[in-house]
Amino acid sequence: MDPLHYLAAHEAADLLARREVSSVELTRAAFDRVRALDDSLHAFLTLTEEEALAQAEAADERIARGDAGPLTGIPVAIKDVLCTKGVRTTCGSRILESFIPPYDAFAVQRLKEAGCVMLGKANMDEFAMGSSGENSAFGPTLNPWDKERVPGGSSSGSAAAVSAGMAFYALGSDTGGSIRQPASHSGIVGLKPTYGRVSRYGLIAFGSSLDQIGPLTRSVRDAALVFQAVAGHDERDSTSATLDVPTVTEALAPDLKGMRIGVPKEYFVEGMDEQVRQTVRAAIDQMAGLGAEIDWEVSLPSTDHALAVYYIIAPSEASANLARYDGVKYGYSYNEGASMWENMEKTREFGFGDEVKRRIMLGTYALSAGYYDAYYLKAQKVRTLIRREFDAAFQDHDVLVAPVSPTTAFRLGEKTDDPLQMYLSDVFTIPVNIAGLPGISIPCGFSRGDNGSRLPIGLQIIAKPFDEPSLFRAAYAYEQANDWHKQHPEL
Amino acid sequence: MPLTPEEVRHNARLARVGLSDDEVARFQSQLSLILDYFQRLQEVDTENVPPTAHTLAMHNVMRDDEPHPSIDKEEVLANAPQREGDHFRVRAILE
């Protein structure tokens, strides 16, 4: 059996239920692991050990009373994009370095009600803008599989904390791949639910028509349990869906008999890593062996335009959302200027990092007079075409499968000087956000890095809106036929 | 078409982001490349295609207009960089 710190959350919950371990013991083990590893990995920005131990004691009492749910007493890392009442929430930015939210995000509130133990706040690219974790104002997170490489981003700390066995699971957010891509690069499971499934209340806004909260976990079953805990209607988010949340744990079955799987050919492009291509194709062949019908000829012709659509829409929404950081209500404030305007401009000059400024500038440009029709409106129209192509593909297929990213984890510094190359790392995850679909990344093998390290590869499964049950069914059957999720980095 | 330094500065002013000369030069070349990449969308035929603002079939979500307490004033003001009484303090906005 795995050492305690590498147990899946549901396995840890079984031990708790049988009283073979206590939540306090799990929590202490997690902090021991953090102390041993996190000086180098840097997955956490803030640790909340005292509160965590109090939550663990409360959880142990709940378990003793027979009042426990599946996540009661399980230690979790929360991406620092989610507001946590009374606990510093930086969003990876200097501008929020000392911000203490007066309320909990809906998803955090739900986990607290479920009896979670919050270990702390996880590192991330500033304002969730990035694909490597290197845009954090507080320094990058390293990949537990190879410390010369990035863990992916923007949920970099969440992914590394789960991969390295510091947290049993984590919450992240995904605007263009920020849960699935780091999950893929870090060898874990990452779920982006359907847009509208999880309330965005208390999620620090980036691209409001794209942002979704979801779990990063060490098993598909764990992702299902966390999904069920955080999904559901919330009137404080006007885009929160009013649909009932399906019991996705009931969809977890060991075979794929009768499942119709489509493979979009545009997701196997020239220039992608050959080991990624072969590994993903082998995974799809294996799904056929589990009973699925595979259609290799699905076409989503607008895929090639999705990246441009995304990098117009997301920065446009970001430029509006980030207008709130004016140095007046909260956060960093420059006050030495001669005027209110100078103070505001300097606040934002010194408070924001390069990538955030770049995206605010892009969005401002795309929305400005004379350019709106050519950029923003055009992107919204192509967005419609991308959606329609997915709708058509789901007429005849239950799920689509594809790679998560064209490469495995890249080296620190490899793409920091070339924003467009960095953006291309999300080319296979972005269309899912544009169309508002649910998507999951699950481990499907490894490649060999040129320095001999083993680098995880992720398989992406995509379903139609609100059909998370099909997503989980496909993911679970593949996972159970393999042991990729049982392999952990040597640390 | 590459952006000029003046366009970068104008755009920064619209966004109320101060930029150093160094940043103006860097953003000028980086943003020009990215905007150039966006040109590929002009090839797409979007005649009679409606825009998608978000992907849910919902519009104008309303809730009942019932008063309920909001976050406590002290908690809200606790994060204020500069405070005067129950107000956020800012520089004079009228000259």
Side-chain angles (χ1 to χ4, degrees), chain A residues 166-230:
Chain A
M166 294 189 280
F168 285 83
Y169 69 103
L171 285 186
S173 63
D174 188 318
T175 305
S178 282
I179 289 173
R180 288 160 291 154
Q181 186 256 23
S184 171
H185 287 351
S186 303
I188 57 172
V189 176
L191 169 73
K192 184 202 92 73
T194 308
Y195 182 78
R197 202 50 123 168
V198 181
S199 167
R200 294 181 293 107
Y201 179 79
L203 170 70
I204 296 177
F206 161 17
S208 299
S209 79
L210 304 158
D211 297 339
Q212 261 297 285
I213 297 163
L216 296 96
T217 63
R218 285 194 290 268
S219 78
V220 172
R221 181 177 295 277
D222 289 355
L225 292 169
V226 181
F227 169 77
Q228 282 167 193
V230 299

Side-chain angles (χ1 to χ4, degrees), chain A residues 22 55 84 88 94 119 136 143 173 215 221 240 289 335 361 364 372 379-380 395 399-400 422 453:
Chain A
S22 70
Q55 287 171 335
T84 43
R88 183 177 84 126
R94 289 270 171 230
L119 299 170
S136 169
N143 191 318
S173 63
R221 181 177 295 277
S240 164
N335 283 304
M361 298 277 286
T364 303
Y372 179 89
Q380 285 191 317
Q395 294 287 315
V399 294
L400 302 175
M422 186 73 91
S453 59

